[in-house]
Amino acid sequence: MDVSMLTPAQARSLIRQDQWNKPTSGMSNGYIQANLVVLPKALAYDFLLFCQRNPKPCPLLEVTNIGSPIPEIFAPEADLRTDLPEYYVYKKGELIQKCSSISDLWSESLIAFLIGCSFTFEEALVKNRIPIRHIEERKNVPMYNTSIRCQPAGEFQGSMVVSMRPIKKKDVIRAVQVTSRFPSVHGAPIHIGDPKSIGISQLDEPDFGDPVTIKEDEVPVFWACGVTPQAIAKDRKPDLMITHAPGHMFITNERNEGYSV
Amino acid sequence: MDVSMLTPAQARSLIRQDQWNKPTSGMSNGYIQANLVVLPKALAYDFLLFCQRNPKPCPLLEVTNIGSPIPEIFAPEADLRTDLPEYYVYKKGELIQKCSSISDLWSESLIAFLIGCSFTFEEALVKNRIPIRHIEERKNVPMYNTSIRCQPAGEFQGSMVVSMRPIKKKDVIRAVQVTSRFPSVHGAPIHIGDPKSIGISQLDEPDFGDPVTIKEDEVPVFWACGVTPQAIAKDRKPDLMITHAPGHMFITNERNEGYSV
């Protein structure tokens, strides 16, 4: 089965029926995929404000109504309790469960946040013939903690997590141009070159994901990463927090191109 | 005195000392000016969510911490209680007072929202030799209620208000390009041409502001307007709401160009 050609509704249906429990990379090509963070309403204002103040690592696509698992704007017929292949459940900041449905955990006090993900701008890079190393090497993108402080908001504070993609020197300018067109999904890089100046000591020892090869004629280019809001929410040790499992995203009805400028 | 050359701090100092009580258009050229909406914290989550769901009419620049009148990001040494030339005070949706300071009305339960304003993209249009009719005619920009529904959020709902600028047919494409670069301040137009298709029946009878001349070789071009969040908040009849008086904006320390893509 070529899952790249599935409509978003078809892909979500497979996932909902537990017929697909793998990462969603490459499914329903051309459609926006989103990171998920579910939090209790008591923390929702501070988290929403954190995202407003830090739009590069936390590009909010949609926030559901209080108690509703339905993303009315990005996929009104979907259900965020069942339509992702895998969820991580945290209590007081500890990962306590991995599961394929959160229907039994859902309650009237929960709110779901959908956050833009790098798949969107990676597709645009590939279309511009700029290859993505971790895709070539079939790895997870390398991600790093940095010394860049996010703007704090209420109970949430911390540093930015970035993802890194090695880009050929001749392609760096084009990579900036292409990704700048997608401000709702991290947008332009936040740093090019020297990792030490943003507090990264070892490129071959990422804090999350896998190391990738950096070739002679390449420069490391860093983008703000959607792991940031998850990491910062986890630090706050909420009574309950639910996220997507890495790479197991929510597939929306909206096309990547619809969110470019 | 040429107020266009004042630094933002100098302009705010004049205003704070009641030595400037006129509109801020043309002051501190090149710096972002902002709309102000102050609301009680009980309404803050819904209002923040409304802005998140409707970024074109409600491009949020900054939200202060609960009880704080200090815009830490856009002008940390400023005070939103005194640094605008004129404020409108609403109780239960009724305008009850116009004043040059809200220090006596401020309380620990208030939150200030700074929202991007069209001055930023108008400056960019003028720099591109696209004249702005209401500036030429020394009028207020014409604004209209439309049939375009905003995405509702909690207690806030309603239709979008738009501003209209007549643009020469040959300049329309350039006007779209230039304003698209400023998504944090309304961005690209939401409509070009036929007013009826967005529910506007009479261009010479704006709902807010003044009518302006539309010449033979011009097309009406419509942008989402920052009056939208004010109008929608007022409809909710909050116990207390404070806004800037029309045209009497808050001058930030940030440059217009810093917020373009």
Side-chain angles (χ1 to χ4, degrees), chain B residues 17 21 25 42 44 50 64 74 110 120 136 170 173-174 191 199 212 214 238 240 261:
Chain B
Q17 295 166 55
N21 53 18
S25 171
F50 185 84
T64 63
F74 276 78
L110 295 177
T120 301
E136 292 176 333
K170 71 172 182 60
I173 292 168
R174 185 65 189 150
H191 185 68
V212 297
I214 305 180
L240 177 65
V261 290

Side-chain angles (χ1 to χ4, degrees), chain A residues 49 52-53 60 63 65 111, chain B residues 49 52-53 60 63 65:
Chain A
L49 188 58
Q52 192 278 326
R53 289 182 180 171
L60 257 188
V63 183
N65 292 324
I111 294 171
Chain B
L49 187 58
Q52 193 277 325
R53 289 182 180 172
L60 257 188
V63 183
N65 291 324

Side-chain angles (χ1 to χ4, degrees), chain A residues 26-98:
Chain A
M27 289 183 99
S28 300
N29 269 350
Y31 290 90
I32 295 178
Q33 299 200 14
N35 296 300
L36 174 72
V37 176
V38 174
L39 286 170
K41 68 180 175 192
L43 290 173
Y45 180 77
D46 283 353
F47 191 70
L48 183 52
L49 188 58
F50 185 84
C51 293
Q52 192 278 326
R53 289 182 180 171
N54 298 281
K56 292 205 81 168
C58 316
L60 257 188
L61 295 174
E62 180 164 0
V63 183
T64 63
N65 292 324
I66 298 172
S68 168
I70 312 300
E72 302 281 355
I73 300 169
F74 276 78
E77 78 286 22
D79 187 328
L80 294 171
R81 296 172 296 190
T82 52
D83 291 2
L84 287 79
E86 191 176 23
Y87 301 84
Y88 279 9
V89 181
Y90 296 86
K91 289 198 171 165
K92 303 268 181 205
E94 297 292 323
L95 176 62
I96 58 149
Q97 191 185 346
K98 300 178 181 182

